[in-house]
């Protein structure tokens, strides 16, 4: 190699090094998410206000997790027309932090049922994602 090639290689190396050293570090900022879930109280023997609120909250959590881009897996099993098992798995626990939660009861238009609506405000911090 001649002297000119060494100079060109040195200039390229210094420019590449300067580029990587001057690049800002990128951290994902926490994201605020608002999500809503609803549950219609049925006529089953296990239907009550607390169950309805919990199921509405579960739907709101699922919606928030989906907005955050977190993997959600749900399994529901019914026997006849009754729900016998409802399993929800959210991969990457401790990513979603609930900041505020509220419940609202509404009567359906036919005035025969009550719908519980849960609204949550959550913060998602991508730096806390556990990749297990």
């Amino acid at each position: 190699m001649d002297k000119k090639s060494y100079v060109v290689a040195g200039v390229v190396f210094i420019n590449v090094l300067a580029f990587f050293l001057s690049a800002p570090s990128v951290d994902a900022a926490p994201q605020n998410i608002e999500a809503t879930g609803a549950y219609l109280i049925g006529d089953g023997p296990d239907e009550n206000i607390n169950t309805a609120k919990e199921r509405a909250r579960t739907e709101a959590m699922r919606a928030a997790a989906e907005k955050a881009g977190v993997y959600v897996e749900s399994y529901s099993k019914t026997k006849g027309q009754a729900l016998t098992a409802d399993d929800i798995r959210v991969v990457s626990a401790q990513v979603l932090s609930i900041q505020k939660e509220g419940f609202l009861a509404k009567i359906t238009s036919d005035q025969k049922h009550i719908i519980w609506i849960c609204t949550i405000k959550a913060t998602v911090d991508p730096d806390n994602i556990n990749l297990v």
Side-chain angles (χ1 to χ4, degrees):
M1 274 175 83
D2 62 346
K3 189 175 181 181
K4 186 177 180 182
S5 296
Y6 284 117
V7 171
V8 171
V11 169
V12 169
F13 176 75
I14 290 172
N15 284 331
V16 170
L17 184 63
F19 173 75
F20 284 113
L21 291 177
S22 67
S25 63
V26 178
D27 289 330
Q31 178 185 6
N32 293 321
I33 293 176
E34 186 171 332
T36 303
Y39 184 77
L40 176 71
I41 296 180
D43 296 330
D46 65 334
E47 298 288 319
N48 59 48
I49 292 173
N50 291 333
T51 302
K53 283 182 172 182
E54 185 57 37
R55 290 182 179 164
R57 184 179 190 276
T58 300
E59 287 299 317
M61 289 287 291
R62 183 189 326 229
E66 287 174 357
K67 285 182 181 181
V70 177
Y71 176 74
V72 178
E73 178 180 276
S74 175
Y75 169 77
S76 298
K77 184 178 179 182
T78 58
K79 187 173 185 180
Q81 291 185 348
L83 182 67
T84 58
D86 192 17
D87 184 28
I88 300 169
R89 291 185 201 139
V90 178
V91 175
S92 184
Q94 300 174 358
V95 174
L96 201 61
S97 173
I98 305 300
Q99 303 301 318
K100 188 177 179 184
E101 175 180 272
F103 291 95
L104 176 67
K106 286 190 173 183
I107 298 175
T108 58
S109 60
D110 64 0
Q111 297 189 359
K112 293 184 180 181
H113 296 93
I114 297 173
I115 298 174
W116 278 95
I117 300 168
C118 176
T119 302
I120 60 172
K121 291 184 180 179
T123 301
V124 178
D125 191 356
D127 292 337
N128 291 340
I129 293 177
N130 297 326
L131 300 173
V132 179

